[in-house]
Amino acid sequence: MEVYLDNNATTIVDPIVYEEMRPFFCEKYGNPNSLHRFGAGTHPKMMEALDYLYSGINASDDDDIIIVSNATESINTVIKGVWIDQILNGNKNHIITSEVEHPAVTATCKFLESQGVSVTYLPVNENGVLEAHTVKDFIRDDTALVSIMWANNETGKLFPIKEIGEICKEAGVLFHSDATQAIGKVPVDVQEANIDFMSFSAHKFHGPKGVGALYIKKGIKITPLLHGGEQMGGKRAGTVDVASMVGMGFAMKLAVENLEFEATEVKRLRDKLEAAILEIPETVVIGGKENRTPNTTLISIRGVEGESMLWDLNQNGVGASTGSACASEDLEANPVMNAFGSDSELAHTGVRFSLSRFNTEEQIDYAIDVIKKAVTRLRNISSSYAYAPSSHKCGL
Ligand SMILES: Cc1ncc(COP(=O)(O)O)c(CN[C@@H](CS)C(=O)O)c1O
């Protein structure tokens, strides 16, 4: 049996989405910017896709949603656009983000630091969540942007976006949220959250890889990352991937329709998997169980290297990860777990399981059996692990 439990890395394209995309490869293949019928033939479904995207995040008609290649491009567009407009050509020189953002945010901020920008990386609490008041404590007169993720990709922890939005609005500071791991898992309402910019990727909610979006609140201008065409009103040059845009729109429609299923059935299967793993001695959910996306659990299994666990699971058909896929190559301690203050040994033992609406009870039952056998096998061959009941307190 094969069980895919790495949906925070990427998801299967919903077959319904795939069918919506198919006509735009060999039938309606015109360039949407062409004036002839071949180009105009793409417009109805593109407009429908935009409608689904706008309603999916409760954007108002006067807001902008720019189609980009992925969340990484969306995030770079915001951070570098604000840098150009507010810092290079303005009187600001400070950006606030958090220690547990995705590298698309932290690496871009590190680049800006190399260009002389001051960046504050806010710490998270023992549960891996940023407390809204810390944003207020660090906003300065020269703060150009606050960028905080809606949900963490490794722990699933949800951040106080509404409160942070209110703080930024009151301070007159632009607020960006990376909602890549929130769309399709929890309700996302940009108007309620007082958000100025928001980023997401379609392949996180059963849409195609290689397409994402940047939400820009009405009235906000930002220098584009890409120049050289009038697509997206000049806000993102380059011919639009029509099939992917249509796919992302329809995936958003289905994601919103399935939020209740995520909150009930997907959560039930996640909780079942998690509870079974926690029956194993010296295991702990990193960040705790509260206030999370319904599909994610990051579990530390003392005495079992994360990479060894992944190899063993993979040999038995189960796909998971030790944290974000983009960091899976390096054997460094998990930065998110480090941010929690976990000890270095623990920071190498995290395994992330992230489910989707396509997982079944039978798959979870099989995965539980495989995981328990893998832990026993790996602990038995471990030179450093010896179960001592007195050390059962598996704190961070
Ligand atoms: C919060 C967050 N923000 C941005 C990205 C980047 O998405 P792209 O479509 O690759 O551009 C991701 C993708 N995180 C995957 C791959 S690293 C994970 O395994 O956690 C993310 O989780």
Side-chain angles (χ1 to χ4, degrees):
M1 177 184 284
E2 288 193 336
V3 184
Y4 183 71
L5 298 175
D6 199 17
N7 287 277
N8 285 8
T10 196
T11 61
I12 186 174
V13 174
D14 189 311
I16 301 171
V17 169
Y18 176 62
E19 289 307 318
E20 287 290 321
M21 295 173 64
R22 281 162 58 95
F24 298 94
F25 294 99
C26 302
E27 296 166 42
K28 299 179 185 302
Y29 53 81
N31 184 319
N33 290 77
S34 298
L35 300 180
H36 48 57
R37 68 181 62 199
F38 299 93
T42 65
H43 296 173
K45 278 293 187 179
M46 289 175 75
M47 294 313 295
E48 182 185 80
L50 281 176
D51 287 344
Y52 290 144
L53 294 175
Y54 273 80
S55 59
I57 63 172
N58 192 33
S60 75
D61 290 347
D62 299 330
D63 296 336
D64 271 325
I65 293 183
I66 311 299
I67 307 303
V68 296
S69 57
N70 48 41
T72 299
E73 179 189 339
S74 179
I75 290 162
N76 272 265
T77 301
V78 173
I79 297 175
K80 289 172 180 172
V82 166
W83 172 46
I84 294 168
D85 299 336
Q86 307 279 335
I87 296 175
L88 294 182
N89 294 283
N91 60 358
K92 309 285 188 179
N93 193 44
H94 180 228
I95 288 177
I96 295 174
T97 187
S98 83
E99 285 181 342
V100 294
E101 301 291 317
H102 183 271
V105 171
T106 51
T108 307
C109 287
K110 291 290 182 197
F111 167 71
L112 263 53
E113 283 186 294
S114 72
Q115 303 302 307
V117 177
S118 169
V119 179
T120 299
Y121 301 88
L122 297 176
V124 292
N125 63 24
E126 68 284 355
N127 288 323
V129 177
L130 180 78
E131 294 170 8
H133 68 81
T134 55
V135 174
K136 193 167 191 173
D137 298 342
F138 285 87
I139 283 182
R140 307 175 340 196
D141 291 341
D142 67 337
T143 302
L145 177 71
V146 172
S147 179
I148 303 295
M149 63 187 358
W150 200 295
N152 183 265
N153 49 316
E154 305 199 357
T155 60
K157 302 298 278 189
L158 296 166
F159 284 48
I161 295 302
K162 188 170 184 293
E163 295 83 350
I164 295 170
E166 288 164 357
I167 291 168
C168 293
K169 187 175 182 179
E170 186 182 328
V173 175
L174 291 171
F175 178 38
H176 166 253
S177 184
D178 171 7
T180 305
Q181 293 291 348
I183 305 279
K185 300 182 175 84
V186 292
V188 171
D189 184 328
V190 289
Q191 295 189 61
E192 183 188 69
N194 289 309
I195 278 189
D196 297 307
F197 304 104
M198 192 174 79
S199 301
F200 57 90
S201 260
H203 71 103
K204 305 294 187 185
F205 52 95
H206 305 294
K209 296 169 187 59
V211 66
L214 168 58
Y215 161 83
I216 305 175
K217 192 178 198 172
K218 59 180 172 291
I220 294 178
K221 302 296 176 216
I222 189 166
T223 295
L225 186 67
L226 303 181
H227 295 82
E230 285 313 305
Q231 295 86 354
M232 298 290 144
K235 296 183 178 74
R236 198 269 186 174
T239 300
V240 175
D241 177 343
V242 177
S244 294
M245 176 182 174
V246 170
M248 177 162 65
F250 214 84
M252 176 70 84
K253 173 185 184 293
L254 295 175
V256 171
E257 290 172 357
N258 281 282
L259 281 178
E260 181 59 27
F261 188 82
E262 291 282 334
T264 53
E265 183 59 12
V266 175
K267 181 180 183 299
R268 184 184 68 81
L269 291 179
R270 186 278 309 271
D271 292 347
K272 179 176 184 178
L273 173 68
E274 186 175 80
I277 298 172
L278 293 175
E279 288 170 359
I280 302 170
E282 298 200 280
T283 52
V284 64
V285 174
I286 304 300
K289 300 180 184 178
E290 305 71 31
N291 196 29
R292 290 184 293 176
T293 49
N295 79 311
T296 302
T297 182
L298 178 65
I299 298 184
S300 169
I301 305 170
R302 187 173 287 279
V304 175
E305 276 280 335
E307 284 71 23
S308 308
M309 184 69 174
L310 294 188
W311 185 88
D312 206 298
L313 296 180
N314 188 49
Q315 291 300 101
N316 293 282
V318 177
S321 68
T322 54
S324 65
C326 52
S328 57
E329 296 309 312
D330 64 44
L331 296 177
E332 292 298 313
N334 184 310
V336 171
M337 291 175 69
N338 277 336
F340 292 13
S342 62
D343 65 52
S344 60
E345 187 249 339
L346 209 59
H348 287 275
T349 62
V351 182
R352 179 183 72 178
F353 299 98
S354 47
L355 285 68
S356 85
R357 62 179 187 254
F358 289 90
N359 287 124
T360 65
E361 187 107 37
E362 183 191 18
Q363 288 180 348
I364 297 304
D365 290 342
Y366 174 77
I368 288 169
D369 182 56
V370 166
I371 292 164
K372 289 190 170 182
K373 287 174 178 170
V375 172
T376 301
R377 191 164 37 248
L378 292 169
R379 280 179 170 172
N380 285 343
I381 63 175
S382 167
S383 58
S384 60
Y385 179 76
Y387 175 50
S390 60
S391 70
H392 196 147
K393 291 176 288 302
C394 193
L396 284 178

